[in-house]
Amino acid sequence: MTNPINDEAVKTNLHASKFSADGFLGNDNRSPEEIVAADEQAMKERGIELRELVALLKSAYQKARDAFGVEIELRPGVTAVYYESMGWIPSPFPGDGVFEKGEVTITETQTGRQLILTPLAIHLIETYRFFQGIGCRYRIDPVVAVELLG
Amino acid sequence: MESKKHSIQINNGERTLSAPAGDSLLSVLFKNGILVPSACGGNGRCGFCRVNITEGAPDFTDSERSLISETDRLDHVRLSCQIRVGSDLKIELPASTLKAKHFSGILEEKSPLTSDIVGLYIRLVNPEEIVFVSGQYVQLRSPMYNGRESSIRAYSIASPPSDKNHIELNVRFVPNGICSTWVFQHLQVGQKINLTGPYGDFHLSESSAPAIFIAGGSGMAPFHSILRDMAERKIRREVSYFFGARTQADLFYTDKLNRFRQENPWFRFIPALSNEPENSDWKGERGLITDVVARHFPDCSKHEAYLCGSPGMIDSCLNVLTRGGMPKDKIYYDKFA
């Protein structure tokens, strides 16, 4: 099945818009399909299953969301904090609907490595295998995600 | 050749519009001064421009199916931007939407309330007065800046309806947020502001049942309006107001609310901190706001509740309150959707 990330309308929506200040591509010069392909390759090399990764992300997001901003420990040395935000953001993919704006910051305390999880970012991974471009605040690098959460 | 026209009857004939066939319902409403809330400019992406179409509706579009729940679809809820006028229509709009207007104003005061929330006090210029019900919200339009597009975001009104010449808003900084970044980093006292409204049906009911208010962060705003309105209109109804924050630094309006409590014996203010250091001087409640509410009201079956906060906070509060016996139809909230 063709990934709709190749649709021109979607490619337009991935850039900065009235909904997303910096868009979904960051400062990545690759095309969206190249970003998807590269992340798929990285996952393949590490033996990362998409379904398992998405389950980890959803679980981490929900645990932090349920704590209302109190820092929680997901595993030794990895913390998560939920930052609430009112309102909703639409997916860049037409027909997907809108997603809560809250975000969860995952931090590896020893190294300071961080990931920011949002419901929309997790949806884009689950549905389109799109982890967002390098330099994008909301990119969830699959290898880093597994190292922090796996 | 003149295009075919159709009639759009609103709220059982309260207004009737004539619309060219093929135009979007949203644009027809806008052209006739009816400002249905919208944040995406009619692209079927934000889901805000909802109307009920009781007669003449075409089939649902894919965008509508993704943005409107099945329950709402059965209730004839539609996105006006997705409706191409192809026959006579009968539609229903909230009374507040028919009254919404464009406003321009001048920012008179910009005060930091916490490290990530500012209070804006806006004097209305054109028109100079606004009529609203406490609990309603306006849509603030940020202009283009630094290459960022103009955007529209919803903020509850914090001022009381009696202050007809001003609008007070509490704006929380959202990382990468287009509108909040403009407010925090670019908006200056004396600058012009554009907004539309008022919108929304979040307001105090006519009941005399004791009320539980629950808010976090900028969710303070509608309650700041409602409480002052209650005092001014001499509504003596028992209110317990729970406000959740992480630390003392995230609390604001505390002095005002404590003074308000002294002047109004029907009111209790219960701030609760979830992340305050154990050894601090804080003497108030600690823990998640939902746990604090449950401790105070293990049985809340006779109360009504009013919630304003993030979707996560609202979902958790709904669970706690219904577990305490509160009927769902006595829980009022606005998720700005």
Side-chain angles (χ1 to χ4, degrees), chain B residues 58-75:
Chain B
D59 288 342
F60 285 94
T61 65
D62 288 344
S63 287
E64 288 180 293
R65 286 195 184 89
S66 69
L67 289 161
I68 306 171
S69 69
E70 192 175 347
T71 312
D72 283 349
R73 291 204 298 272
L74 290 170
D75 281 343

Side-chain angles (χ1 to χ4, degrees), chain B residues 63-247:
Chain B
S63 287
E64 288 180 293
R65 286 195 184 89
S66 69
L67 289 161
I68 306 171
S69 69
E70 192 175 347
T71 312
D72 283 349
R73 291 204 298 272
L74 290 170
D75 281 343
H76 312 290
V77 173
R78 305 298 300 264
L79 299 184
S80 56
C81 72
Q82 296 295 294
I83 305 296
R84 297 284 151 193
V85 178
S87 64
D88 291 349
L89 298 175
K90 287 188 178 176
I91 72 172
E92 289 172 2
L93 290 169
S96 64
T97 302
L98 285 175
K99 292 176 186 164
K101 295 177 186 170
H102 285 294
F103 289 88
S104 64
I106 299 291
L107 182 64
E108 282 194 343
E109 286 177 39
K110 179 179 175 184
S111 355
L113 300 174
T114 69
S115 62
D116 64 354
I117 299 176
V118 292
L120 304 181
Y121 195 56
I122 302 158
R123 178 170 50 84
L124 298 174
V125 174
N126 185 22
E128 292 180 346
E129 287 192 358
I130 185 168
V131 176
F132 67 96
V133 177
S134 55
Q136 287 192 296
Y137 69 91
V138 291
Q139 288 198 317
L140 180 65
R141 177 185 287 275
S142 63
M144 290 177 72
Y145 67 93
N146 289 359
R148 297 202 164 152
E149 289 194 30
S150 171
S151 72
I152 296 169
R153 297 290 184 267
Y155 295 99
S156 291
I157 304 171
S159 42
S162 58
D163 189 359
K164 293 182 189 303
N165 305 116
H166 293 90
I167 286 283
E168 187 181 345
L169 306 175
N170 299 159
V171 178
R172 182 171 192 169
F173 180 74
V174 177
N176 272 30
I178 300 175
C179 195
S180 68
T181 301
W182 170 69
V183 166
F184 271 72
Q185 297 177 5
H186 299 272
L187 180 62
Q188 306 284 337
V189 169
Q191 198 169 328
K192 187 180 170 191
I193 287 182
N194 290 306
L195 44 90
T196 56
Y199 295 115
D201 54 9
F202 182 68
H203 60 84
L204 193 67
S205 78
E206 297 294 324
S207 151
S208 57
I212 299 171
F213 293 177
I214 310 175
S218 58
M220 172 74 85
F223 298 121
H224 204 52
S225 175
I226 289 170
L227 287 167
R228 288 187 280 175
D229 187 44
M230 288 176 74
E232 287 171 2
R233 294 198 293 136
K234 300 192 178 356
I235 298 172
R236 304 286 181 258
R237 186 172 165 187
E238 187 186 310
V239 172
S240 301
Y241 180 12
F242 295 86
F243 184 76
R246 298 180 74 234
T247 67

